Structures are given as C-alpha cells and as structure tokens.
Amino acid sequence: HPATTPVLDAWSALPSWARDEAPMPDTTTLCHGDFHLGQLIRHPEHDGWLLIDVDDLGTGVPEWDLARPAAWYACGLLAPDEWHRFLTAYRAAGGTAVPPDGDPWTALDVPARALTAQTAARSVTKAVAAGRPLDEVERSLVDACARMGSVSLSSPAS
C-alpha cells in the first residue's frame, strides 16, 4: 500500500527506546496506562474531572499517558482550543508529564509521534484487509507520518 512507506519511515525515525528496542527512560511514575479524553468524566459533586477505567494502572513514563491527545492534536484531529483547555487544566492540576509552563513538545514529541505511527499502521492494515481506501481520519494519520520526516525530534533521540 502506498501509505506503508511514510508510516514505516516515521516509525524508523523514532529513538530505539520508543520502538521497544532499548530500555525506556525512567519508568517509576504511577501512570494510567490507557489514557484518552474519554477516560475523563465530570463529577458534579466535586466540581471537576475524574479519571476512570484504571485497570491498566501501573508504573511507566507519564509522557506516554498524554501521547494520544497530543497525537490527535498534532494530526489535526483535536481542535487547538480543546488541546489548550486540556493542557492548561492538566498543568493546573500538577500533572508531571509536561513542564509546568513553556513548550510541552519537549516531553510529548516522541510519544505523540510513536502513537501516530502505530495508529496509522493499524489504520492502513485495517483498510487493506477490508479492501477499501483510507478514510479521512486514516489519511490524516498517514499524512502526519509523512510530515514527521521533515520535522526533527524535539526530544533527545538517545
């Protein structure tokens, strides 16, 4: 499939630890393990948000918990105002995956790229298996993989 090349190129450009070919950096922080925006619910009595579905809770690298919303934002699948609102609330709550201010991509670039490449690969595989063209979202993921080659990593590639 023509989408295979940009997806594999994006995957190959990741640091070896992001491809599970070397040990990850510090993995001692408590993490959700399956975080996405659907895991947040409003609780009327607490006037705030609750994190649900903690069956994958464990230790890991907190940046990977934010990989999915960061990837969706970078691919154009999460509106900038929603990303900003989420990131602002995350920082205000003391979230440790990103610096308390400044550029969050120094921490999120590699996890967001990895999740984008993984999701794009799964999308291409499903489309090929179904004998159909890529849909709009799948095309956005593959296009993001193609763009990754022109933008160097924000995080150390060690």
Side-chain angles (χ1 to χ4, degrees):
H1 192 280
T4 303
T5 299
V7 173
L8 288 176
D9 289 349
W11 184 257
S12 297
L14 293 169
S16 59
W17 57 263
R19 296 186 316 267
D20 200 26
E21 296 172 359
M24 281 197 131
D26 179 29
T27 58
T28 60
T29 303
L30 186 63
C31 297
H32 184 273
D34 182 32
F35 180 79
H36 55 81
L37 298 179
Q39 304 286 26
L40 293 171
I41 60 168
R42 285 287 238 181
H43 194 290
E45 292 178 26
H46 297 290
D47 190 33
W49 293 91
L50 294 178
L51 188 58
I52 63 169
D53 192 18
V54 294
D55 53 322
D56 290 321
L57 187 73
T59 58
V61 180
E63 291 83 352
W64 290 85
D65 267 353
L66 299 191
R68 193 172 299 160
W72 289 352
Y73 168 70
C75 292
L77 302 173
L78 181 63
D81 60 326
E82 292 172 12
W83 168 249
H84 179 72
R85 187 174 60 210
F86 166 74
L87 190 61
T88 300
Y90 179 85
R91 285 174 159 164
T96 62
V98 294
D101 53 24
D103 185 5
W105 294 101
T106 57
L108 298 178
D109 193 21
V110 170
R113 287 179 189 232
L115 188 76
T116 299
Q118 176 192 29
T119 307
R122 291 180 68 193
S123 296
V124 171
T125 301
K126 288 179 180 181
V128 168
R132 62 169 176 76
L134 299 176
D135 66 25
E136 183 179 353
V137 170
E138 294 164 338
R139 186 81 241 157
S140 294
L141 293 163
V142 172
D143 290 347
C145 286
R147 287 191 307 272
M148 284 183 213
S150 65
V151 180
S152 56
L153 288 165
S154 296
S155 297
S158 56

